[in-house]
Amino acid sequence: MDRSKAGCADRSIALRGSDFLQLDPSEAPPGGLSDWLAARLRGAIADGRLPLGSTLPATRVLAADLAVSRGVVTEAYRRLVEDGHVVGRGRRGTVVVAAPPHPAPA
């Protein structure tokens, strides 16, 4: 039994991060997994797939789903925190608090 995935289905967006967002780490450039993941999460926040108030998957859960190291996910989340898009709330998880601005039309 895989205990890392048990009990996740009943938490807002903290479902199956890679399934919900259709994340595929093979799309990431070599050595750029954290950048790639942060950009994909930022995009999901901007387009509403991760609405304000939603909880991101736990770093261990998302790392296991994507088959990447937990450090990759932690670094991506850190970048989103620095940008002001999410905030860590301890045991309550990492919560989306602001959407990135949409680029101005050219």
Side-chain angles (χ1 to χ4, degrees):
M1 177 178 190
D2 185 358
R3 295 180 187 268
S4 67
K5 297 178 183 178
C8 293
D10 58 352
R11 290 188 181 183
S12 66
I13 300 301
L15 306 170
R16 314 286 297 157
S18 60
D19 292 344
F20 176 75
L21 299 174
Q22 300 298 303
L23 298 174
D24 181 2
S26 68
E27 298 172 353
L33 275 172
S34 291
D35 287 336
W36 168 84
L37 181 56
R40 293 300 179 273
L41 292 171
R42 203 175 284 116
I45 293 167
D47 70 16
R49 287 177 291 152
L50 286 172
L52 297 179
S54 62
T55 303
L56 298 180
T59 57
R60 283 188 177 104
V61 171
L62 187 54
D65 282 352
L66 296 174
V68 300
S69 75
R70 184 175 173 216
V72 166
V73 178
T74 301
E75 176 63 18
Y77 282 17
R78 183 189 64 77
R79 292 175 188 184
L80 294 174
V81 167
E82 286 178 353
D83 293 345
H85 303 309
V86 301
V87 65
R89 298 222 167 125
R91 296 183 138 214
R92 291 186 291 160
T94 303
V95 179
V96 176
V97 294
H102 293 286

